[in-house]
Amino acid sequence: MTILVTGGAGYIGTHTVVELLQGGHEVVVLDSLVNGSREALHRVEGITGKAICFIEGDVRDRALLDELFVEHSIEAVIHFAGLKAVGESIEKPLAYYDVNVHGSLVLCQAMAAAGVHRMVFSSSATVYGEDAPVPYMETMLRGRTSNPYGSSKAMVEQMLSDLCCADKRWMVTLLRYFNPIGAHISGEIGEDPQGIPNNLMPFIAQVAVGRRRELAIFGDDYPTHDGTCVRDYLHVMDLAAGHVAALSSLQHAGVRIYNLGTGHGISVLEMVNTFERVTGQTVPFRIAPRRDGDLAAFWADAGKAERELGWRAERGLEAMLHDTWRWQEQNPRGYVPG
Ligand code: NAD
Ligand code: UDP
């Protein structure tokens, strides 16, 4: 199949493009490069030995999308393009609704006009909201989101569900990711946040490589076994494989929802300790106040994806940390050489 991958030059997108190319698909990437990199796509071509058709542009640009759908025989879309920083979304809500919600709307309109009705959408565990019991299950209703980023994901989920109700040609899978970390085993591609990392894993890796002095652990007084927050971390290559599985199963009208996680929770302190043990690096840290909006603990019930997609997360925490470190050590400044 020829797949349009929006946001394909970003972290999860590049790893998914590797899986798609190795699975025999043709790939067209549309990315504005606001948080992605051309170099990452060159490296994907190096890893796979295959060419990527790359279009630099914005997912909100309807004329560009129309042209793209005329020029390429796209059969399905994996829609990653979006803004993802929770804190920034609180400061700039309109930017988040514009890119994430309006961008998805324009994309759907262009797909409809082109007669393309298959989509895999990047959603997030955040849509379960603040009060959901763990483990999170797909049968639970979406909850009250605590920031514009989460609200934008919930809105797009609703929009896609409404679309599938109204028009039986649409086949949509909503993938609710938990916490992707790790990198391709080659160390050639990985997570390369611009500026100060918001997420735990890239922050730990940048402390270990000497780019940052110490990690601030946001709170050690949560009601968890060691007081630090618990999350369900999964390997980005497992997540990438989940997209290929979701794509193959896009054969029936309507919307389907899957959690992509391991089903196991790990605390922040366990992450730091395991990283140190696995890599032999030291990660100085201090305990800092809680971060606004953080939930104490959540993880996935990952059973539905296994039953229906035949997908499960295969790689363990040690592999995730080894692969993160290989990427960071080989690329101390990310995709910027030197
Ligand atoms: P990323 O920022 O690395 O990738 C997103 C890509 O989209 C970037 O390459 C960026 O340049 C591109 N982009 C942004 N706005 C665009 C626009 N208007 N037009 C075209 N391209 C645009 O992020 P990621 O971690 O790879 O996340 C991919 C998707 O998965 C996002 O939708 C994100 O919200 C979702 N998600 C991520 C996580 C996570 O922890 N990384 C968790 C849950 C959901
Ligand atoms: N975290 C931390 N220090 C950091 C970044 C994150 O202690 O510099 C904690 C954060 O409070 C949360 C966990 O690590 O409990 C995972 O945070 P991340 O931002 O990676 O994921 P999310 O909060 O989106 O689940």
Side-chain angles (χ1 to χ4, degrees):
M1 276 202 275
T2 303
I3 316 297
L4 170 62
V5 183
T6 75
Y11 172 46
I12 305 170
T14 44
H15 291 81
T16 302
V17 171
V18 168
E19 283 289 292
L20 288 169
L21 292 173
Q22 289 180 337
H25 296 289
E26 308 268 310
V27 172
V28 176
V29 168
L30 171 70
D31 198 300
S32 64
L33 300 183
V34 68
N35 201 38
S37 115
R38 236 179 241 277
E39 171 63 15
L41 290 174
H42 290 319
R43 293 187 185 193
V44 170
E45 292 183 325
I47 291 167
T48 60
K50 297 191 177 165
I52 298 165
C53 172
F54 174 58
I55 297 161
E56 184 174 345
D58 198 296
V59 77
R60 293 164 295 179
D61 184 342
R62 176 65 195 271
L64 176 70
L65 288 173
D66 287 344
E67 198 181 315
L68 185 161
F69 282 113
V70 168
E71 279 178 14
H72 302 275
S73 314
I74 305 292
E75 286 157 89
V77 177
I78 302 183
H79 180 33
F80 291 111
L83 303 178
K84 64 165 184 175
V86 170
E88 185 187 56
S89 80
I90 296 168
E91 288 157 26
K92 301 179 185 169
L94 296 183
Y96 274 68
Y97 292 119
D98 189 16
V99 174
N100 294 2
V101 181
H102 177 223
S104 301
L105 173 71
V106 174
L107 175 62
C108 288
Q109 288 170 330
M111 288 173 66
V116 179
H117 297 100
R118 288 190 228 199
M119 180 189 277
V120 176
F121 174 63
S122 297
S123 191
S124 164
T126 189
V127 302
Y128 286 104
E130 296 173 304
D131 308 311
V134 288
Y136 291 172
M137 301 183 73
E138 296 88 342
T139 46
M140 290 161 32
L141 293 177
R142 281 190 292 274
R144 190 159 48 96
T145 46
S146 57
N147 55 73
Y149 168 73
S151 303
S152 73
K153 291 292 177 191
M155 286 179 192
V156 177
E157 283 202 355
Q158 186 65 52
M159 180 178 79
L160 293 170
S161 304
D162 292 341
L163 183 57
C164 288
C165 268
D167 184 338
K168 300 301 176 206
R169 288 173 298 178
W170 281 86
M171 301 173 219
V172 172
T173 294
L174 311 176
L175 296 179
R176 292 178 177 165
Y177 313 157
F178 282 68
N179 290 58
I181 61 170
H184 188 263
I185 195 161
S186 63
E188 285 288 301
I189 57 171
E191 187 168 13
D192 182 22
Q194 296 183 3
I196 300 170
N198 295 302
N199 298 110
L200 179 64
M201 191 71 256
F203 207 107
I204 291 176
Q206 290 194 9
V207 171
V209 85
R211 268 173 80 176
R212 318 226 163 249
R213 201 165 51 85
E214 63 178 8
L215 170 74
I217 293 184
F218 299 141
D220 68 348
D221 56 352
Y222 284 96
T224 59
H225 64 280
D226 62 16
T228 63
C229 290
V230 167
R231 296 287 182 271
D232 182 343
Y233 298 93
L234 81 158
H235 198 295
V236 66
M237 288 308 297
D238 282 332
L239 182 58
H243 288 74
V244 179
L247 201 59
S248 322
S249 79
L250 271 184
Q251 286 165 10
H252 306 283
V255 82
R256 258 158 280 269
I257 304 178
Y258 297 102
N259 288 338
L260 295 185
T262 63
H264 303 290
I266 309 278
S267 76
V268 176
L269 272 175
E270 285 168 340
M271 285 288 281
V272 174
N273 293 336
T274 314
F275 183 90
E276 290 190 327
R277 180 171 55 75
V278 162
T279 65
Q281 304 300 305
T282 307
V283 180
F285 68 84
R286 70 186 160 86
I287 304 298
R290 290 181 178 196
R291 183 170 70 177
D292 274 355
D294 273 346
L295 301 181
F298 62 83
W299 57 91
D301 180 314
K304 187 178 176 204
E306 182 161 6
R307 287 190 303 276
E308 295 187 12
L309 299 178
W311 174 90
R312 57 185 279 184
E314 302 285 349
R315 297 159 178 87
L317 184 59
E318 293 196 2
M320 300 183 213
L321 299 177
H322 261 303
D323 292 346
T324 299
W325 180 237
R326 188 181 301 105
W327 149 254
Q328 191 70 71
E329 202 179 18
Q330 288 179 21
N331 304 272
R333 306 209 65 80
Y335 291 111
V336 180

